[in-house]
Amino acid sequence: MMQKIHTRSKKRLEVTDQYMMGPSILVAPVFTGQKERKVVLPIGNWFNFYNGEYAGNGETITIKTKLEEIPLFVKDEELFLC
């Protein structure tokens, strides 16, 4: 699924390997053997779902990946931890 994401650079990027679950959860799947991946964060303060660490705001980040933990990011006003 392709989505257009607004970034801080005022560019709209077309992204095909991540998706939004509603307005506040970003999912960035990983594949077998993948050790890291790039994630395009929309405008807004985004945090790692699992540990609450700040991830960024409207930028492209590179993260380390684990198959047992699908990268999830939550927007600041929706932050919650399990």
Side-chain angles (χ1 to χ4, degrees), residues 47-72:
F47 294 84
N48 181 302
F49 172 80
Y50 300 101
N51 61 23
E53 289 181 4
Y54 179 74
N57 176 353
E59 57 202 86
T60 301
I61 61 171
T62 300
I63 59 168
K64 302 283 185 202
T65 61
K66 304 179 204 171
L67 281 178
E68 59 275 352
E69 192 175 281
I70 296 170
L72 294 176

Side-chain angles (χ1 to χ4, degrees), residues 2 5-7 12 18 20 31 36 39 48-49 52 57 60 63 67 71 75 82:
M2 181 173 52
I5 296 179
H6 294 272
T7 63
R12 286 166 74 178
Q18 65 185 49
M20 298 291 299
F31 301 96
E36 64 180 30
V39 178
N48 181 302
F49 172 80
N57 176 353
T60 301
I63 59 168
L67 281 178
K75 206 168 184 182
C82 291

Side-chain angles (χ1 to χ4, degrees), residues 1 8-9 11-12 15 17-18 24 29 31-32 38-40 43-44 49 52 55 61 69 75 77 80:
M1 169 196 271
R8 289 180 60 131
S9 66
K11 291 182 185 172
R12 286 166 74 178
V15 181
D17 64 347
Q18 65 185 49
S24 304
F31 301 96
T32 302
K38 291 186 186 229
V39 178
V40 180
I43 293 174
F49 172 80
I61 61 171
E69 192 175 281
K75 206 168 184 182
E77 68 267 13
F80 58 93

